[in-house]
Amino acid sequence: MEEQEVVPVNEEQLKYEALKKSANRTSNWRERLQAVEELGQLDHDQVADVLKARAQNDSVFPIREAAYRQLQKMGVSVPQPKRQEGDLVKGITKLLVRIKKSLPRDHSYEDFKAKLQKMRVDVYDTYEGDKGDEFDTWLEQKWASLRT
């Protein structure tokens, strides 16, 4: 019987792969934010690439900021992210009108909010992450202003 060679598991690589996956999960801004923070603590060649992608392309401003800070700590020079002007999701008003129309005429704001979260968790997550404490106020104002 031949002896099989045991290949050691590189825990740092496994952790990197898991964090990279979390950093790219579009429907969970909290998980992406935590992954960005943890990636900055790893000693891995490809961490900077993942953080650059988040700093430049994430739809949620606090994640872009966190990735920028981690890159700065690593000595990687990237432009400081700016808060996006206008709609974060193309066609957001049209999407929200469609959701509002799908509900009974006498629905509440809470009904609308729940349906948005159920139907488009990615959109809900993007705005919740970007707006922070102002999310409910923003969404309720949007809901009240929608014409159906």
Side-chain angles (χ1 to χ4, degrees), residues 3-34:
E3 235 180 89
Q4 287 186 339
E5 183 181 342
V6 178
V7 179
V9 176
N10 183 338
E11 288 191 33
E12 189 84 0
Q13 179 67 26
L14 291 175
K15 187 169 184 176
Y16 164 75
E17 292 296 334
L19 289 172
K20 177 182 170 186
K21 186 176 181 180
S22 292
N24 291 315
R25 185 158 288 132
T26 58
S27 63
N28 191 331
W29 71 269
R30 287 176 181 87
E31 185 176 342
R32 287 197 316 277
L33 182 60
Q34 182 176 351

Side-chain angles (χ1 to χ4, degrees), residues 14-103:
L14 291 175
K15 187 169 184 176
Y16 164 75
E17 292 296 334
L19 289 172
K20 177 182 170 186
K21 186 176 181 180
S22 292
N24 291 315
R25 185 158 288 132
T26 58
S27 63
N28 191 331
W29 71 269
R30 287 176 181 87
E31 185 176 342
R32 287 197 316 277
L33 182 60
Q34 182 176 351
V36 162
E37 298 289 352
E38 289 183 38
L39 277 165
Q41 310 309 311
L42 290 183
D43 181 25
H44 192 282
D45 298 342
Q46 297 167 314
V47 164
D49 293 336
V50 176
L51 292 175
K52 283 179 192 174
R54 291 300 96 216
Q56 295 167 351
N57 303 317
D58 204 282
S59 56
V60 176
F61 182 69
I63 294 171
R64 291 196 311 271
E65 269 188 326
Y68 170 79
R69 282 192 312 275
Q70 293 301 328
L71 287 163
Q72 293 296 296
K73 284 182 193 174
M74 296 167 67
V76 178
S77 179
V78 291
Q80 186 167 4
K82 295 189 178 6
R83 191 169 280 283
Q84 186 175 328
E85 298 293 322
D87 293 339
L88 302 176
V89 174
K90 186 176 178 182
I92 185 65
T93 301
K94 195 177 198 177
L95 171 75
L96 296 177
V97 165
R98 238 180 295 139
I99 291 171
K100 189 170 183 175
K101 281 182 174 180
S102 74
L103 291 164

Side-chain angles (χ1 to χ4, degrees), residues 101-125:
K101 281 182 174 180
S102 74
L103 291 164
R105 213 164 179 39
D106 62 345
H107 72 273
S108 69
Y109 162 69
E110 292 301 326
D111 296 333
F112 173 79
K113 180 180 173 183
K115 183 131 189 194
L116 170 62
Q117 188 173 22
K118 182 178 177 189
M119 287 181 64
R120 290 299 304 269
V121 70
D122 58 329
V123 172
Y124 185 96
D125 188 75

